[in-house]
Amino acid sequence: MKLAQQGKLQARPSLQTSKWKRIQKSYELYLFLLPTIAYFLIFHYGPLYGLQIAFKNYIAVKGIWGSPWAGLEHFERFFNSPQFLIVLKNTLLLNLYELAVSFPIPIIMALLLNQINNVRFKKLIQTVTYAPHFISGVIIVGMLFVFLSPRNGLINELIVFFGGNPVYYMARPEWFKTIFVFSGLWQNAGWSMIIYLAALTNVSPDLHEAATVDGANKYQRIWHIDLPSIMPTVMILLILNIGNFMNVGFEKVYLMQNALNIDASEVIQTYVYKSGLLSAQYSYSAAVGLFNAGINFILLISVNELAKRLKQNSLW
């Protein structure tokens, strides 16, 4: 027993020495890591220093270190405010709606596009679906206001043509989430499809040939060959999506907001912006933002752990 322990103690230094020698031997390769490490230290870990203002009453002239501590006062204020339930409900509903619609449709599009044998038609579809991704959010919202205008918008012109009454969609709270989700789907579905198409290129053609010989039709091959083959990719992207669950696209939500749809469009990001930058409540908005980031972190860890228990691919 003692001999074994002595052997382990002797083995550890030799292992560390061999690792250090390997690093010294290939130090040029490790130097390539330095820009990445510097980027994360400066832009991702450095700003964490400012998180402490969530627990302080921040006073600009005293700075972050000089401001007095407030404990959990700003968190309690947010939880007790009338806006808490409204922004939390809007954020959750908008993200659930977006996850239910925007996550599966690129997968379905990729599976269907993969079955098209005409290369020119396939490239045309890919180009048409990718193109909206490169349009800025400001232009997308401008287009929404034009197309959905109650006076001369294309949608309302069609409604009137078929005998209906025009609807002011951008001012109706009940339409906000649908317009937000489906305009985002139009803009990003083609771009999201790229990863699944890349995953489908790894599916062996032999599997399809064998299934065809056995009498399987296209839908059966999609269901039993293509879909299981891309499931690891689907699981990783699902975990990443849920890890970012509480983050709604701030720019688009803010641009689509107006006084008439504010009850359905106020989410945590816009609330943080208004209370922090517009009302100069820096500590309070930092506390709200930290609460949002905390939920994202808990969701990411939980879903990753669930994927591991279900024997699916996970991030770590």
Side-chain angles (χ1 to χ4, degrees), residues 14-212:
S14 62
L15 190 63
Q16 288 175 354
T17 307
S18 64
K19 279 183 180 177
W20 178 241
K21 282 184 178 176
R22 276 208 311 274
I23 292 171
Q24 282 183 318
K25 191 178 178 181
S26 311
Y27 74 94
E28 297 96 339
L29 295 175
Y30 289 96
L31 286 177
F32 281 109
L33 287 173
L34 286 180
T36 307
I37 293 171
Y39 167 77
F40 277 95
L41 287 176
I42 295 170
F43 295 105
H44 289 263
Y45 287 94
L48 290 177
Y49 151 79
L51 271 182
Q52 58 181 301
I53 69 170
F55 305 95
K56 288 188 167 187
N57 286 322
Y58 178 68
I59 301 170
V61 292
K62 292 186 177 179
I64 293 175
W65 282 112
S67 300
W69 289 98
L72 299 175
E73 178 186 327
H74 302 296
F75 292 92
E76 291 173 2
R77 183 183 155 200
F78 176 55
F79 297 146
N80 294 326
S81 74
Q83 290 292 317
F84 174 67
L85 287 178
I86 295 172
V87 297
L88 188 63
K89 185 186 79 174
N90 287 336
T91 307
L92 290 174
L93 288 178
L94 197 55
N95 278 299
L96 281 172
Y97 196 171
E98 193 167 32
L99 188 66
V101 174
S102 301
F103 186 75
I105 287 183
I107 300 171
I108 296 168
M109 287 170 62
L111 291 170
L112 295 178
L113 196 63
N114 190 53
Q115 295 298 318
I116 295 174
N117 295 322
N118 189 322
V119 177
R120 284 189 176 181
F121 182 69
K122 193 174 179 178
K123 286 184 177 178
L124 175 67
I125 296 293
Q126 285 179 291
T127 305
V128 169
T129 52
Y130 294 168
H133 175 75
F134 300 99
I135 303 174
S136 78
V138 178
I139 297 174
I140 292 287
V141 175
M143 290 167 66
L144 288 174
F145 274 100
V146 171
F147 289 139
L148 300 175
S149 168
R151 291 186 178 176
N152 51 12
L154 178 64
I155 304 299
N156 277 309
E157 289 287 339
L158 287 173
I159 291 173
V160 172
F161 179 77
F162 287 105
N165 295 317
V167 180
Y168 193 3
Y169 290 101
M170 300 303 287
R172 300 280 291 271
E174 65 270 25
W175 281 101
F176 178 84
K177 293 181 178 63
T178 300
I179 295 169
F180 181 87
V181 170
F182 280 91
S183 59
L185 179 67
W186 171 74
Q187 187 181 10
N188 297 315
W191 187 256
S192 305
M193 184 177 65
I194 293 174
I195 296 174
Y196 302 115
L197 281 175
L200 283 167
T201 58
N202 291 325
V203 179
S204 172
D206 295 341
L207 292 173
H208 281 281
E209 288 175 10
T212 306

